[in-house]
Amino acid sequence: VAIGCFAYGLSTGEKGLLELSPSRAATKMSVVNMLPSTMGIDRTLKCNSAKNFLRKTTKTLEKVDMPADIEIVGPDPLQRKSYYPKLADTKASKETWIVLDAQDQILGRLASLAATLVMGKWHPLYHPAMNMGAHVVIINADKVRVTGRKYTDKLYKRHVTGRPGSMKSEAFRDLQARIPERIVEVAIKGMLPKTRLGREQFKQLHIYAGDENPHTSQKPVDLTYKISKGQRESFMQDRELVKE
């Protein structure tokens, strides 16, 4: 194997390069030593032989035992590694049920919050490749609002037979009177991933036109106050009054 050896020297602030052929590799040390010492050359050699000159060092972290009086919740923070959710974590996250009241709510703000909850971006162990979302129940879907002229101008298009030429269009007010749940479904589904994971997360969405739902036994948590800023402020004020 031919080995190319290089001698590097520093002279008056400039780096000089002395290249030695493989045939003179045996005498390279003597050649470097013959150079005058007044040149200030650093007598060090750097040889390139395939990948043998690469030395990779791996830093390992010592595992430190946590004190007995501290309870570790989730992954060990001292390992300095990103925790990948396991199957047990996804099952635990699906045990969370959340209810949102769509009465007099803006469609876009309602859909963005519902999509965030269904995807699981609120969860501390969120990972885009795992389903860490919760079950979201939306009630009063027939009373959702839109701004501007969307009530009369916004169109929903669909293909009846799945072939070209059979497209049907329907205005927002007509679809709200016929199938009000479809409006919220379309808005939220457009914010979910277009993959198998997104289709699985969409199944965790439960939308009802009225104020009644069959999921009361799951004891869902009401997070309607997070939809808009005004509702959050009123919620915080009411909570301060309760504390007093």
Side-chain angles (χ1 to χ4, degrees), residues 14 58 71 144 186 215 217:
E14 298 179 358
T58 304
E71 181 182 1
V144 71
V186 172
H215 307 288
S217 59

Side-chain angles (χ1 to χ4, degrees), residues 212-238:
E212 297 181 358
N213 65 90
H215 307 288
T216 54
S217 59
Q218 279 75 21
K219 298 180 180 180
V221 182
D222 190 1
L223 296 182
T224 309
Y225 68 92
K226 289 190 175 183
I227 296 178
S228 63
K229 182 178 178 181
Q231 289 181 339
R232 287 196 298 269
E233 293 178 353
S234 62
F235 174 80
M236 297 299 293
Q237 294 177 0
D238 295 342

Side-chain angles (χ1 to χ4, degrees), residues 145-208:
R145 295 191 302 113
V146 289
T147 58
R149 300 180 179 179
K150 301 184 185 69
Y151 184 74
T152 56
D153 296 353
K154 184 176 178 62
L155 298 177
Y156 290 88
K157 301 177 182 180
R158 70 185 188 278
H159 289 274
V160 180
T161 61
R163 297 184 179 184
S166 61
M167 185 180 67
K168 303 293 183 180
S169 60
E170 192 172 7
F172 177 89
R173 59 180 178 184
D174 299 331
L175 184 59
Q176 189 177 31
R178 190 169 65 92
I179 311 176
E181 299 91 343
R182 185 68 52 81
I183 294 176
V184 183
E185 288 179 358
V186 172
I188 298 176
K189 190 173 184 179
M191 300 180 183
L192 297 179
K194 310 309 186 284
T195 56
R196 288 185 297 175
L197 179 61
R199 292 189 290 271
E200 181 183 352
Q201 293 171 347
F202 183 74
K203 296 178 182 179
Q204 301 170 196
L205 191 64
H206 313 275
I207 304 176
Y208 302 96

